[in-house]
Amino acid sequence: MARRGISILKGIEAQEVINLLNRAYCDEWLAYYQYFVEAKVVKGIMKDAAIVELNQHAADELRHATMLSGRILQLGGTPILHPDEWLKYANCKYEAPKNFDVRAILDQAISGEQCAIGTYSNLLELVRDKDIVTYDLVSQILADEVEHEEDLQSLFDDIETFMAQFKV
Ligand code: MG
Ligand code: FE
Ligand code: FE
């Protein structure tokens, strides 16, 4: 445990930051799996474009889990060890895909990103001016989540526009 590194926290306990990071860590694993499995089952118009985006996002969410676990360890904590805990501690729900249509899948993924954006915005407020390293790391993740929402929304809008051309 890096004592000097931890000593720079101001007005927040390392354990409190660890708990917040661990909750986000659970979200990232669930987000990773949701994208992973959505990319497998998605059907319908322009699904190839959706698969590329879903797989890219899966890789990003897994990278976020790596970033969070690194910071948890720096603070002297342990990343959540059992997948059973993921659903218990996650901030956002896990929505198993039911409708495999590309628009339904994208819609569900957009909601997931919106939840992630809310979660990380709150986390930033809690560590602002207290833990600058966590603040910086979470800011990077938040920027990715904002990009994810935009990528999915613009793909969704393109599909809607494309389909509208076939309506009388
Ligand atoms: Mg993307
Ligand atoms: Fe993420
Ligand atoms: Fe994301």
Side-chain angles (χ1 to χ4, degrees), residues 84-99:
D84 275 354
E85 314 280 275
W86 293 347
L87 288 166
K88 210 163 107 192
Y89 292 112
N91 298 286
C92 302
K93 282 186 297 189
Y94 179 80
E95 300 271 6
K98 287 183 200 84
N99 181 350

Side-chain angles (χ1 to χ4, degrees), residues 13-14 21 31 62 77 80 121 129 131 143-144 158:
E13 291 300 317
L21 293 173
L62 195 57
I80 296 279
S121 301
D129 299 327
D131 178 348
D144 288 341
D158 285 351

Side-chain angles (χ1 to χ4, degrees), residues 35 61 64 113 144-145 148:
Y35 278 121
E61 311 305 10
H64 294 162
E113 292 299 341
D144 288 341
E145 310 303 8
H148 287 172

